[in-house]
Amino acid sequence: MRNPYRTQKIAFFFLLIATLLIVIPVGIIVLIIIEKGLPAISWEFLSDIPRKGMRAGGIFPAIVGTIYLVSGAIVFALPIGVLAAIYLSEYAKDNLLTRLIKLAIVNLAGVPSVVYGLFGLALFVVFFKFGASILSGSLTLGIMILPIIITTSREALESVPYSFREASLSLGVSKWQTIRHIVLPNAIPGILTGTILGLGRAAGETAPILFTVAAFYLPQLPSSIFDQAMALPYHLYVISTQVPNVDEKTRYGTAFVLLAIVLVMNLIAIIIRYQFRKKKKW
Amino acid sequence: MRKLKESIIEKLILLCGLASVFFVVLIFLFLLKEGLAVFKTISLKDFILGKSWYPISEPAQLGILPLIMGSFLVTIGAAIISIPIGVGCAIYIAEIAPLRLKEILKVGIELLAAIPSVVLGFIGMVTIVPLVKSIFHLPTGLTAISGSIMLAFMAMPTIVSIAEDALYSVPKIYKEGAFALGATHWQTIYRVVLPAASSGIVAAVMLGIGRVIGETMAVMMITGNAAVMPNSILAPVRTLTATIAAEMGEAVVGSEHYFALFGIGIVLFIISFCINVTADLFLHRNK
Amino acid sequence: MVTFGIKNLDIWFGAAQALKQVNISIESNEILSIIGPSNSGKTTFLRMLNRLNDLSSNCKMAGEVRFGQEDLIKIDVELLRKRVGMVFALPLPLPLSIFDNVAFGVRMHGERDRKILENRVEEALKQSYLWEEVKDRLDVSAFKLSGGQQQRLCIARTLAVEPEVILFDEPCSGLDPISTAKVEEAMLKLKKKYTIVLVTNNVKQAARVGDRTAFFLSGELIELDKTDKIFTAPQDKRTDDYITGAFG
């Protein structure tokens, strides 16, 4: 006879192994990058331009470029994303159109990042003649992070109790005033979480900026949104595969900075969400 | 006055609500606009089934079958690794882990999902690639299997989080019913919870695979970039995504090569569209 | 004077009919109590009066409802809800300070003057017998108040926009007897200025505060009369059964 408790023990053991197979490598990845990347970090590394064919110097222009790109993306995506979330949570009825919009969001989230790159190239760089520029890159990244912002904002809006809306409407307050003064303020932490997640995603993506903005090497900082710019993820790609004989320290240092930016943003988002859940007044 | 302002705002909200639909259509239209031109010089059949990809030779040979096979091979490998591990981890988190550990694991999975693919590619280059090379005594570690291993880590967070959601949303009463009949915890999971969550798990697997097919930077950095028909998982391959990323920089706007790369974009868009729509159907089947 | 004139009112939610051929007139400055078991349509009736049912997309309505001289359907809905306020079953303070809760509706209707707002808030809080308890802490969160205080805050919030009618939807269902007594006391005073419609599950409460009482059952108005008559000599056997506790 098979003993069900022994079967259970074996099964649970394997489930634990599966979990460890994810957790341990991730831990190792992060540790390797910290261990080898941290010693490379110095004020000079963060504030200097790349020198000697990117084999020395710092990564300052790439950091600045990434900041520009990410800011541009969020300026574009945040208002559209939040308004779209308001539409879905406050106005949309249960009909075919709503179904279509939700399906579109799912698809937008699933489009491969390199296809976003192609799209940005075709629409912004070639069709609108923005050229390879911060503008083209930001808009491409902006459309890419739209689904993240819509989804998290919508969750935040929907978590505001329906009764608040009813109480406000029953006073003769209009629907938009109710949204603006009651629903939206209470959804801010959730929207903030989504925004930061979007920022993190935009900061780490390479493929969408390959043909829309990223410069291989640019000694000076961009001066307008129609300039090309360097970006951290692309810079890491370049120095790990395109430029021979780059010091290992420089590569790990760049990877460390990029990973740190992305993970810190995600951690902030997680902490905000956690605090918000804990403090919820209702 | 206020009414007018509000009706303008509400129009704007509707407009933004429609924005996602607009962008999906726009993406597809612009891919078509730039990509369909490739079929002036090559038939759809030769494009999809052609075995040679030499886009800059004279005349250009634009068969993407080697690239499709490359994507296929890497994806299958990643799926074989990530599905059992991912689903196993999801079960562990949803059913077995104590509350506190569960929170920590979920945060960990979320952070894994956030690691930029170029960083994973870099890590793959310095860890998995030399490892594969020495284990299998290969001339290079830049192979399909290296890509599969690395991509499995990109699929896992998607699989874990969606599958965990599906498992978690199985009504408690099902489990209580099984427990009341004297089933062990594992029997309950295996015979009650898993079947009840099956469509969500299928969706999770599909979305995970979708992420692998669409993944670009990591594969480009560690699969060796050989656009030839792959004959082994230990050989270098070139995926659809990597081809676009690697070659678009050199393709002249308006050239055959440029059109062909957009043609690949159309193929990728259609694949991801099908995967996402089907996964969405699975996700909403029970609701 | 008649505040609401309701003729042959039918309301459906989807295929389910919630109210059937209801005829009532509600007089000014009276407290009309509505009693009946759950699912008798009394809350639907109440929410019809300030068109909160409009929020359910599957709600359909037929018949004639007049508010004063006007057709209820044709009045601007925001204006209607300003004139016909609502106090809900559970205390529903907004996530704002006490002051901002009471001032919320007034502000949204365009009043910005701090002095006027302060006066309105004070007056409303006094009318709902909450002023003395909160006057020193108007800027604390409304969630810090007890359940009974929250409910009186909600009454004050409704009063602050200066309605003509106040609808109470089982306002004491979540309150202890002392808080209930305070809310009832407020209602009796308010009657001088406002028309009040009170839906309650508590038959004794209807007996205590109502001028007239209506008994609803399964979407129909069974009986409507002076409160003492309903409770001493109901015409319909079902009314008698309900108030004596034979069912409900």
Side-chain angles (χ1 to χ4, degrees):
Chain A
M1 270 314 286
R2 281 197 332 193
N3 179 344
Y5 288 95
R6 208 174 65 201
T7 319
Q8 165 157 321
K9 259 191 183 155
I10 295 168
F12 283 10
F13 174 73
F14 277 108
L15 294 176
L16 179 65
I17 293 288
T19 309
L20 293 178
L21 276 175
I22 298 184
V23 174
I24 291 174
V26 173
I28 291 175
I29 290 176
V30 174
L31 282 181
I32 289 179
I33 293 194
I34 292 176
E35 193 206 330
K36 297 205 176 176
L38 200 55
I41 306 303
S42 63
W43 177 244
E44 193 213 345
F45 185 69
L46 296 175
S47 66
D48 196 8
I49 60 167
R51 295 179 192 282
K52 294 186 190 157
M54 293 185 266
R55 289 180 189 91
I59 55 169
F60 184 60
I63 296 177
V64 171
T66 287
I67 292 173
Y68 283 168
L69 283 174
V70 166
S71 321
I74 219 73
V75 165
F76 171 77
L78 186 60
I80 296 182
V82 171
L83 289 181
I86 291 177
Y87 176 78
L88 284 173
S89 104
E90 309 296 320
Y91 289 91
K93 298 189 176 68
D94 193 10
N95 58 20
L96 196 69
L97 177 68
T98 308
R99 189 86 193 84
L100 196 68
I101 292 175
K102 287 181 182 166
L103 203 61
I105 293 171
V106 168
N107 270 297
L108 218 46
V111 170
S113 56
V114 73
V115 174
Y116 275 107
L118 285 181
F119 166 68
L121 172 67
L123 181 67
F124 301 122
V125 178
V126 175
F127 186 77
F128 284 142
K129 300 195 171 61
F130 294 156
S133 61
I134 293 179
L135 182 61
S136 301
S138 293
L139 291 172
T140 309
L141 288 173
I143 295 176
M144 187 191 75
I145 61 172
L146 204 52
I148 300 177
I149 295 185
I150 295 177
T151 314
T152 42
S153 303
R154 181 174 151 228
E155 268 171 29
L157 291 165
E158 284 179 351
S159 75
V160 177
Y162 183 72
S163 56
F164 288 178
R165 296 170 176 83
E166 238 181 31
S168 171
L169 291 172
S170 79
L171 294 168
V173 173
S174 74
K175 183 156 181 168
W176 168 247
Q177 284 178 315
T178 302
I179 295 168
R180 166 74 187 75
H181 294 278
I182 298 297
V183 183
L184 212 46
N186 287 289
I188 290 289
I191 293 173
L192 202 61
T193 309
T195 308
I196 298 170
L197 289 176
L199 284 172
R201 174 88 196 277
E205 277 290 350
T206 318
I209 59 173
L210 277 178
F211 340 115
T212 53
V213 49
F216 193 78
Y217 174 64
L218 210 61
Q220 78 277 28
L221 297 181
S223 58
S224 90
I225 56 167
F226 294 103
D227 284 353
Q228 276 194 288
M230 294 182 77
L232 267 180
Y234 183 59
H235 185 66
L236 176 60
Y237 168 68
V238 165
I239 58 174
S240 2
T241 63
Q242 307 289 303
V243 183
N245 305 324
V246 177
D247 192 4
E248 199 184 50
K249 219 173 111 182
T250 311
R251 292 192 197 168
Y252 275 108
T254 309
F256 175 82
V257 173
L258 178 58
L259 190 66
I261 290 177
V262 171
L263 290 191
V264 164
M265 284 200 202
N266 274 271
L267 272 177
I268 293 174
I270 291 169
I271 290 168
I272 291 176
R273 195 173 53 203
Y274 185 74
Q275 290 290 335
F276 179 51
R277 277 194 195 141
K278 214 171 60 181
K279 273 200 197 137
K280 216 177 237 182
K281 296 170 236 153
W282 52 84
Chain B
M1 190 50 209
R2 202 196 78 208
K3 293 242 164 195
L4 180 72
K5 189 184 123 203
E6 291 186 3
S7 96
I8 292 172
I9 291 173
E10 289 181 346
K11 296 250 159 44
L12 197 66
I13 288 174
L14 173 65
L15 215 61
C16 289
L18 294 172
S20 339
V21 180
F22 173 73
F23 284 130
V24 170
V25 173
L26 200 67
I27 290 174
F28 193 51
L29 284 183
F30 267 82
L31 291 177
L32 289 181
K33 174 177 174 292
E34 304 287 40
L36 283 184
V38 74
F39 299 116
K40 282 182 198 149
T41 52
I42 184 171
S43 71
L44 178 64
K45 181 170 160 271
D46 289 343
F47 183 67
I48 302 281
L49 298 177
K51 286 185 186 165
S52 313
W53 174 259
Y54 297 115
I56 38 183
S57 65
E58 256 330 308
Q61 290 186 284
L62 301 171
I64 62 169
L65 192 61
L67 315 176
I68 294 178
M69 291 310 292
S71 280
F72 182 73
L73 208 59
V74 173
T75 305
I76 289 289
I80 291 172
I81 301 168
S82 63
I83 292 171
I85 297 181
V87 174
C89 177
I91 298 173
Y92 186 81
I93 294 179
E95 291 287 330
I96 303 168
L99 195 64
R100 193 141 181 89
L101 182 62
K102 185 175 175 152
E103 298 279 323
I104 296 170
L105 285 174
K106 283 172 95 166
V107 169
I109 297 293
E110 206 171 321
L111 292 182
L112 171 60
I115 298 178
S117 74
V118 68
V119 173
L120 280 178
F122 170 69
I123 283 293
M125 280 176 67
V126 294
T127 55
I128 293 174
V129 169
L131 203 66
V132 166
K133 184 178 168 179
S134 68
I135 289 178
F136 297 103
H137 306 291
L138 299 170
T140 171
L142 298 168
T143 57
I145 196 170
S146 319
S148 293
I149 296 171
M150 216 57 234
L151 286 194
F153 281 94
M154 313 206 69
M156 280 188 251
T158 309
I159 296 179
V160 173
S161 65
I162 297 173
E164 198 262 332
D165 258 1
L167 291 165
Y168 183 76
S169 57
V170 171
K172 290 276 165 291
I173 193 153
Y174 289 16
K175 280 171 68 180
E176 282 161 12
F179 281 133
L181 294 172
T184 63
H185 192 178
W186 169 245
Q187 286 169 328
T188 308
I189 293 171
Y190 188 69
R191 302 208 178 260
V192 178
V193 180
L194 275 179
S198 60
S199 67
I201 294 173
V202 172
V205 167
M206 293 184 68
L207 290 172
I209 290 175
R211 183 139 189 233
V212 171
I213 295 177
E215 171 43 44
T216 311
M217 297 315 288
V219 266
M220 181 158 74
M221 291 164 85
I222 55 185
T223 55
N225 278 322
V228 291
M229 287 299 280
N231 49 22
S232 148
I233 51 164
L234 297 175
V237 294
R238 165 72 86 64
T239 64
L240 292 164
T241 50
T243 306
I244 300 175
E247 296 179 8
M248 187 49 100
E250 291 132 40
V252 181
V253 174
S255 68
E256 234 174 75
H257 188 191
Y258 175 89
F259 295 140
L261 292 176
F262 270 95
I264 298 175
I266 297 174
V267 172
L268 278 171
F269 183 88
I270 291 174
I271 294 173
S272 81
F273 187 86
C274 294
I275 290 178
N276 283 301
V277 171
T278 327
D280 198 54
L281 287 178
F282 272 106
L283 270 185
H284 291 97
R285 205 168 65 172
N286 288 349
K287 288 173 190 166
Chain C
M1 222 179 62
V2 175
T3 304
F4 281 103
I6 293 144
K7 282 192 192 123
N8 303 328
L9 175 71
D10 290 306
I11 291 182
W12 293 267
F13 289 99
Q17 187 161 8
L19 287 178
K20 296 168 198 159
Q21 290 293 310
V22 172
N23 292 282
I24 293 188
S25 70
I26 300 171
E27 312 283 334
S28 297
N29 299 77
E30 73 164 339
I31 298 183
L32 172 69
S33 304
I34 300 177
I35 57 172
S38 49
N39 287 323
S40 57
K42 48 194 201 311
T43 295
T44 302
F45 176 78
L46 196 72
R47 290 165 67 92
M48 178 273 297
L49 295 175
N50 71 349
R51 287 175 56 191
L52 275 180
N53 286 332
D54 292 12
L55 300 181
S56 323
S57 55
N58 64 349
C59 176
K60 279 196 321 257
M61 188 173 141
E64 189 194 80
V65 182
R66 297 210 155 265
F67 178 44
Q69 300 302 310
E70 297 161 272
D71 188 340
L72 187 86
I73 309 294
K74 297 207 175 109
I75 306 175
D76 175 81
V77 69
E78 285 153 28
L79 208 59
L80 172 72
R81 289 183 189 148
K82 183 170 178 293
R83 291 169 65 190
V84 183
M86 174 85 138
V87 176
F88 296 90
L90 292 171
L92 277 184
L94 295 166
L96 302 168
S97 72
I98 294 173
F99 184 91
D100 289 340
N101 253 283
V102 183
F104 178 70
V106 190
R107 277 196 176 122
M108 291 299 111
H109 292 121
E111 186 56 69
R112 310 233 169 238
D113 189 296
R114 181 81 197 173
K115 207 81 226 135
I116 296 178
L117 284 174
E118 278 170 6
N119 284 337
R120 285 271 202 103
V121 170
E122 180 175 342
E123 198 184 321
L125 285 169
K126 279 180 174 159
Q127 283 185 328
S128 67
Y129 295 92
L130 191 58
W131 175 251
E132 290 302 321
E133 292 161 56
V134 300
K135 64 181 177 189
D136 303 320
R137 45 174 180 148
L138 290 172
D139 53 351
V140 305
S141 163
F143 290 96
K144 294 265 192 295
L145 299 175
S146 72
Q149 288 173 325
Q150 287 185 4
Q151 193 59 305
R152 279 178 284 144
L153 179 75
C154 293
I155 296 175
R157 189 176 63 200
T158 306
L159 294 176
V161 295
E162 301 183 328
E164 297 156 38
V165 182
I166 307 173
L167 312 174
F168 287 89
D169 184 6
E170 302 177 22
C172 303
S173 55
L175 303 185
D176 60 273
I178 296 169
S179 303
T180 301
K182 283 188 175 168
V183 171
E184 285 177 7
E185 186 188 349
M187 266 190 264
L188 286 169
K189 290 264 169 63
L190 292 172
K191 172 174 104 160
K192 295 192 185 82
K193 258 181 89 178
Y194 308 93
T195 305
I196 291 176
V197 185
L198 165 70
V199 161
T200 178
N201 264 334
N202 180 340
V203 176
K204 289 185 192 123
Q205 181 172 54
R208 282 194 296 267
V209 297
D211 295 309
R212 291 193 302 159
T213 297
F215 173 59
F216 275 65
L217 183 64
S218 308
E220 285 176 83
L221 172 63
I222 304 297
E223 195 169 350
L224 166 66
D225 216 323
K226 293 245 182 280
T227 295
D228 46 10
K229 219 164 151 218
I230 287 272
F231 283 93
T232 52
Q235 302 295 302
D236 196 292
K237 169 129 190 357
R238 289 168 292 181
T239 314
D240 194 29
D241 287 348
Y242 180 71
I243 57 178
T244 53
F247 73 96

